[in-house]
Amino acid sequence: MLDLVELYADRAPGNVLAGYLPALRAVDGTDSHAGLDPDYPRDWRTAARDPAFQQAQDDERDRVYFDPAVRRAKADGLRVLGQFAYYDAIVMHGDGDDATGFGGIRRRALAEARTPARAATRRRTSTPSSTHACGPWNRRRRTATPAASTPPSASSSARATSTSDRPSTGRCTATATTSTDHGRPPRAPRPRKSGAAGAWESDSGVCARS
């Protein structure tokens, strides 16, 4: 209250509350009303209609309560709702470090849980880089970086060649598609009926129907 009336006096010298400054300084920090009764409440209501006093109240609110609350909440990694929770706590309990003040409340809370900012810092500094059997694991895309490709083995090439050199059965003029992936044997084409009457169509060509 003393800081507010002093700010008001600086901006509007000679205002209705300026005469109470000596009494306010004398009783600051106590419960005494000495020098303030009985006219101080009435004169306060008169000053409340002055735009200069209204602006002084808004500025003092921001300086003492709102700005410190938002600054501390952002440092703790809190968003808008958390910032207003800090603001409410500072208004209701004061910004002191005693057991009932905001500092004491926050200190007890930190003994039970980390702030979002501390939790994020711990994740960044303690999470090991993940690996995958096929190479480094891309956590963003959830895909494995493929290892360096290796040429097909000689045995795979031989199997592919021997398969393509097999004599034709006379029932299909197409050559079967071979696969050498990971050394697996080639798969024969699956026939399916063609639109033309009396013929079957494979994955790689049209076969005459027997």
Side-chain angles (χ1 to χ4, degrees), residues 7-208:
L7 178 62
Y8 182 34
D10 290 340
R11 295 181 177 180
N15 66 74
V16 69
L17 298 180
Y20 293 98
L21 281 173
L24 287 171
R25 295 187 181 105
V27 302
D28 187 40
T30 72
D31 295 332
S32 174
H33 292 187
L36 301 176
D37 291 334
D39 297 329
Y40 186 70
R42 181 200 63 201
D43 291 338
W44 182 280
R45 288 191 294 269
T46 300
R49 295 192 292 269
D50 183 358
F53 188 50
Q54 297 169 6
Q55 186 62 52
Q57 292 183 72
D58 290 342
D59 294 342
E60 191 68 5
R61 174 207 59 206
D62 291 345
R63 183 186 71 85
V64 177
Y65 302 112
F66 190 78
D67 291 346
V70 172
R71 184 169 55 251
R72 292 188 182 187
K74 285 184 176 180
D76 284 344
L78 302 179
R79 292 184 285 185
V80 175
L81 184 59
Q83 294 166 21
F84 275 97
Y86 272 29
Y87 170 64
D88 182 73
I90 291 179
V91 170
M92 298 300 295
H93 300 277
D95 197 17
D97 288 329
D98 57 295
T100 60
F102 173 78
I105 295 172
R106 180 178 177 275
R107 188 165 52 250
R108 290 195 300 275
L110 290 177
E112 301 293 333
R114 292 191 299 270
T115 65
R118 290 187 179 181
T121 301
R122 180 165 180 171
R123 285 196 300 270
R124 286 194 301 269
T125 57
S126 64
T127 302
S129 58
S130 300
T131 57
H132 189 267
C134 296
W137 185 251
N138 187 330
R139 299 178 67 87
R140 184 178 182 84
R141 296 187 178 181
R142 293 293 189 269
T143 58
T145 303
S149 60
T150 56
S153 62
S155 60
S156 300
S157 300
R159 282 197 298 272
T161 303
S162 62
T163 302
S164 61
D165 290 343
R166 290 175 183 171
S168 173
T169 61
R171 300 183 62 180
C172 182
T173 59
T175 302
T177 303
T178 61
S179 171
T180 58
D181 293 342
H182 304 291
R184 291 195 297 268
R187 293 181 298 176
R190 294 180 297 177
R192 56 184 180 273
K193 193 167 184 179
S194 173
W200 292 88
E201 183 180 7
S202 72
D203 290 337
S204 56
V206 179
C207 305

